[in-house]
Amino acid sequence: MSEVKPKPDGTYYDLEALPPQYVGEIVSGELYASPRPASLHAYASSRLGVILGTHYGDGTAPGGWLLLDEPELHLLGHVLVPDLAGWRRERMPKLENVAHFKVAPDWICEVLSPATLTLDRKKKLPIYARAGIAHAWLIDPLARTLEVYRLEAETYRLLGKSSGDASVQPEPFIQIGWPLQTLWAP
């Protein structure tokens, strides 16, 4: 699949007009319309949601988290849709019934695909850092890797890259561990 190309001068109206099989984002004033995730991408994202949701989803586990799939974030003039995001309960104690969030999450996860690799890594990750999101993960289901980043001095520092069937306990969810291979489709 080729890289997703932006439409200059994208507006929220353009984003709302996209067919339902697309995920729309506005990054630096450009509209990006990405096709819905392919099966390996969706599998990795779904499995991660189950793993984290089992331990943190109700907000009572250590750290108390609110976790969401594909939330629409309005941050610093951008409209971003990470694959997963999490807010610590002390920052978002209650889930409001809203179409989008203006409060930056404490953690995001992007599941990379060939079509969105450059957008996720080169354009969105720096915006997440400028918005003050403390932790970012990049998962590549084709390469079978997990990259874990922590925000330090307004930029992300790579804490580690795990691959294959390694056992992981990545920040900020260090209370639990799991074999990375559970994210990879059989």
Side-chain angles (χ1 to χ4, degrees), residues 97-173:
N97 185 18
V98 296
H100 61 269
F101 298 91
K102 294 180 180 178
V103 174
D106 296 286
W107 165 82
I108 62 91
C109 178
E110 292 286 2
V111 180
L112 306 175
S113 68
T116 64
L117 177 71
T118 301
L119 174 64
D120 290 340
R121 189 181 290 280
K122 303 289 185 194
K123 295 189 181 262
K124 290 171 65 177
L125 204 57
I127 295 168
Y128 292 142
R130 286 195 308 275
I133 298 172
H135 297 277
W137 294 2
L138 297 179
I139 293 176
D140 187 333
L142 295 176
R144 296 184 171 209
T145 59
L146 164 64
E147 297 173 37
V148 177
Y149 295 89
R150 182 192 313 136
L151 186 62
E152 293 182 3
E154 300 179 6
T155 189
Y156 285 119
R157 178 171 74 90
L158 178 63
L159 297 180
K161 183 175 181 176
S162 302
S163 63
D165 62 354
S167 183
V168 296
Q169 282 183 275
E171 284 189 19
F173 304 106

Side-chain angles (χ1 to χ4, degrees), residues 63-100:
W65 287 85
L66 172 64
L67 304 168
L68 294 175
D69 293 328
E70 297 185 344
E72 184 175 306
L73 307 175
H74 289 214
L75 305 172
L76 307 173
H78 306 277
V79 178
L80 308 170
V81 182
D83 291 292
L84 294 131
W87 290 261
R88 291 188 182 275
R89 284 293 188 171
E90 62 263 17
R91 291 191 56 246
M92 188 181 285
K94 178 178 151 188
L95 180 62
E96 299 293 333
N97 185 18
V98 296
H100 61 269

Side-chain angles (χ1 to χ4, degrees), residues 55-56 59-65 88 172-173 175-176:
H55 297 279
Y56 296 97
T60 61
W65 287 85
R88 291 188 182 275
F173 304 106
Q175 292 88 356
I176 61 167

